[in-house]
Amino acid sequence: MLYIKKPSVYSVFDELIYKILNEGDDVETEFGEPTKEIRNTIIEITNPNLKKVPEKYPLGKKAVDDYINHLLYGSKNEFSYDYHQRLFKYPYKDEEINQIEYIINKLNQQKNSRRALAITWNPKIDIEVSKDERGSVPCLQYIQFLIRNNNLYMTVLFRSNDAFLAFPANALGLIELGHLVAKKTNTKFKSYLHHAVSMHIYIERDKDMLKKSGFL
């Protein structure tokens, strides 16, 4: 288990990558890819207003901006899942459920609610997709918001998270979602907590980029 508490994603990134490379377990994925992994990595961002992209993040600011745009407003690309769809238009029978709208309404009705949450996993879809060797299913699983003393606290859970290529965009994108909820609930966005059950780095696949970024 790893716990890192820092003001920003920017200040977390280098420590996270070095910790996984130096202390992570060697784990081969179900697809035969070598990784370094730390189970149950918890990252607490104490100042979500700090949105600078880590300098060593190989995909850069554009990738983060694109991720934020797709998360909040949707994408024209077609995947077996889409976070915007699962959060804003969750498929259930013949319905589409806007879970973010529910969260905002719930918190505005009951400031101390523990029920302001959203899920992305859809068993009807994702169990079947998982049977395909390369089927793509959501890594982000769960989001919950709490308001305490007019401060907004956001917690997210990932079943699996690529620390090197995905974490910065994931975290900064979800933090932007947190700012949206804070604005709609007239609260101060106080803390973002990011929990990844499997936080990992693809050692062989990303070796060249890891070297170029100065991690190897």
Side-chain angles (χ1 to χ4, degrees), residues 72-88:
L72 295 183
Y73 307 110
S75 169
K76 293 181 180 178
N77 297 327
E78 291 188 7
F79 301 101
S80 56
Y81 75 92
D82 175 88
Y83 287 141
H84 177 82
Q85 180 208 42
R86 295 291 174 97
L87 294 173
F88 291 85

Side-chain angles (χ1 to χ4, degrees), residues 20-32:
I20 297 172
L21 289 175
N22 294 319
E23 300 176 17
D25 296 326
D26 293 311
V27 177
E28 187 175 283
T29 72
E30 61 188 288
F31 310 121

